Amino acid sequence: MAEYGLMSPRKKSLYDLHRAATHVNMQMLDTPMSEVVTTLMRSRIQNNAMRIGPSTLDGLMINGGGYQGKTETACRTAAEFEDTWRDLFEQYPECYFDPMPGTRDLIAPVAYCQTPVKATPIGLCEAILDYYGAPYGKNLRGMIRNARESIKAHATTVLIIDDITRLKMHREDDQDTLDLIRGLMDLDVTLVLIGVNIPRSGLLREGWHDPRTNQWVYAPLKKGKSYNPDASTQTERRFDLVTLAPFDYSSDAGIAAFVAHLEGVENQIRLFNAGPSTLSEGRMPEYLYRRTHGIVGLLRRLIEDGLTKAIESGLEDLTIDLLDEITINLGNVPGKDDGRDAEAGEIPDIDTSPKRKPGPKLRKGRNSVYDDRGTSPAAEA
């Protein structure tokens, strides 16, 4: 701190800028919930990539609430697979094409796109083609052909479609869009669909859960104008459904996992007065859980905003009083901030206010000496 005080205003500004960049780019930490998703997704895409037969590949649906890290977890797992797959391709020069300057990569093992807020087959095709930088085509049939050819030409093995629950099954266009998605499964590509509260979204309305295989099985849609001529001949489509849940504070194991996550975060904090137990001891774990309900995305947002305020105010530490001054803005106007669709459940309906409201107390962790109101058990006695 003494060395920092001797810096010129310019050097201080650059130093603080470096700290801010560090705080908003903290290492993504594994959680017990994300490990379940990662394990299943890694095995699914790897097994499908090795399959030679002409059978339709099983897909994967990643379910969970808003701000719970579904996209980050899926993209990180897919990126790890892509690194491995590219290394494998490089061992066979006759099958691998090096990227050429001024062009997109010719080999794209993983493709990612988002479901449009107002989903239509045209909108989804545009999202896929935008990823490859491919031309749209003159009409819908041409766009579908270009999308399918792009997936094949770039040797895409995994296609991630995010925000799938923006599809509303009472709309004909949305039904046709889902039918189009199912039609992509015959391209030897693993479909990974990400959405909020998938079981209640209507996507699986015409399907059923098979307890023997723990998979959702459903027939092609019969309503709407299908633009996939093969859909009517396909008897069933299979997706595994895995849920990424928030932290649980009702058990010793859940509390320990949450505190361990806080320890991983606090080790990356760059504040002069923040100690090694800034987030993981005292009242702080219970406070952070109450403010964020154990949702990883909200926890990250609260801590990032708190770190910025701690630097700007000169406090150089994270305290409950400082965090009480921060409001977690969930972006109640759809599409205004980060493009989240409130109607699709992408914005959680929870209370993130700083002050505690009357209600049941949180279970105390083993590291708790005070409750969230600052009253010790001895004082209460």
Side-chain angles (χ1 to χ4, degrees):
M1 189 66 175
E3 294 178 7
Y4 179 78
L6 296 176
M7 291 181 180
S8 66
R10 175 177 172 78
K11 288 187 176 181
K12 284 184 179 180
S13 177
L14 293 175
Y15 188 82
D16 292 342
L17 183 63
H18 178 76
R19 290 198 290 170
T22 303
H23 290 155
V24 298
N25 292 286
M26 290 186 182
Q27 179 184 2
M28 183 177 176
L29 302 174
D30 287 321
T31 66
M33 304 80 70
S34 67
E35 289 177 351
V36 173
V37 176
T38 298
T39 300
L40 178 58
M41 181 176 174
R42 182 185 296 119
S43 63
R44 174 53 47 83
I45 61 181
Q46 180 172 306
N47 291 342
N48 285 348
M50 299 293 181
R51 197 180 302 277
I52 300 176
S55 60
T56 301
L57 302 181
D58 290 345
L60 180 67
M61 289 185 176
I62 301 179
N63 174 60
Y67 293 89
Q68 288 179 188
K70 302 181 296 300
T71 300
E72 292 86 346
T73 300
C75 288
R76 183 182 63 171
T77 304
E80 293 172 353
F81 165 78
E82 178 166 338
D83 290 339
T84 302
W85 204 242
R86 286 185 180 275
D87 291 341
L88 181 62
F89 262 95
E90 290 179 352
Q91 298 179 22
Y92 300 91
E94 66 276 9
C95 300
Y96 185 79
F97 301 95
D98 290 323
M100 294 184 295
T103 69
R104 301 285 185 106
D105 286 353
L106 298 179
I107 300 297
V110 177
Y112 170 89
C113 68
Q114 285 183 302
T115 306
V117 175
K118 298 298 182 181
T120 63
I122 292 179
L124 180 62
C125 285
E126 290 178 348
I128 295 175
L129 293 171
D130 284 342
Y131 182 85
Y132 295 108
Y136 285 165
K138 296 181 180 180
N139 51 42
L140 176 57
R141 195 172 298 276
M143 296 180 72
I144 294 176
R145 181 179 61 252
N146 288 354
R148 294 170 67 90
E149 289 180 352
S150 294
I151 292 174
K152 288 184 177 181
H154 291 272
T156 299
T157 306
V158 181
L159 175 60
I160 301 175
I161 303 180
D162 204 352
D163 301 322
I164 191 63
T165 43
R166 290 178 177 178
L167 297 178
K168 308 297 188 297
M169 290 299 97
H170 65 278
R171 297 195 300 233
E172 185 174 310
D173 282 343
D174 295 50
Q175 295 183 25
D176 293 338
T177 303
L178 181 59
D179 200 14
L180 170 62
I181 293 172
R182 295 175 182 178
L184 297 176
M185 296 180 70
D186 62 358
L187 295 177
D188 291 332
V189 61
T190 301
L191 281 182
V192 179
L193 310 181
I194 305 174
V196 176
N197 203 353
I198 292 178
R200 295 185 180 181
S201 66
L203 291 175
L204 305 176
R205 179 183 58 184
E206 300 184 34
W208 64 93
H209 183 264
D210 188 346
R212 296 172 301 175
T213 62
N214 196 31
Q215 292 178 317
W216 284 89
V217 183
Y218 56 92
L221 289 171
K222 298 180 180 179
K223 300 178 181 180
K225 300 176 182 179
S226 173
Y227 290 97
N228 175 22
D230 298 327
S232 59
T233 64
Q234 296 165 346
T235 57
E236 63 182 21
R237 298 302 189 196
R238 291 182 177 270
F239 282 92
D240 279 337
L241 181 67
V242 60
T243 299
L244 184 60
F247 281 101
D248 176 30
Y249 214 83
S250 61
S251 65
D252 290 340
I255 294 173
F258 186 65
V259 172
H261 184 77
L262 295 179
E263 291 174 349
V265 174
E266 68 188 8
N267 289 335
Q268 304 178 65
I269 290 178
R270 300 294 178 260
L271 296 177
F272 290 115
N273 297 328
S277 57
T278 301
L279 303 178
S280 58
E281 292 188 2
R283 301 161 48 198
M284 190 62 80
E286 293 171 17
Y287 174 84
L288 292 174
Y289 187 86
R290 179 177 63 78
R291 288 291 308 273
T292 65
H293 298 254
I295 298 175
V296 175
L298 299 185
L299 177 65
R300 179 177 59 191
R301 174 173 293 190
L302 178 62
I303 292 176
E304 286 180 359
D305 292 348
L307 292 171
T308 300
K309 193 174 187 62
I311 294 175
E312 293 176 348
S313 65
L315 181 62
E316 292 292 338
D317 194 8
L318 281 182
T319 65
I320 291 179
D321 290 338
L322 181 141
L323 294 176
D324 275 343
E325 300 177 9
I326 297 174
T327 301
I328 302 178
N329 180 15
L330 296 182
N332 294 323
V333 181
K336 183 177 179 180
D337 296 322
D338 53 4
R340 296 178 184 265
D341 184 5
E343 294 182 0
E346 296 166 18
I347 300 176
D349 183 18
I350 58 176
D351 178 21
T352 59
S353 59
K355 301 302 180 182
R356 175 192 289 273
K357 293 184 178 180
K361 296 181 180 179
L362 292 172
R363 175 172 176 167
K364 299 294 185 292
R366 295 178 179 177
N367 65 333
S368 298
V369 179
Y370 298 92
D371 67 12
D372 194 36
R373 297 164 296 177
T375 305
S376 66
E380 289 186 344

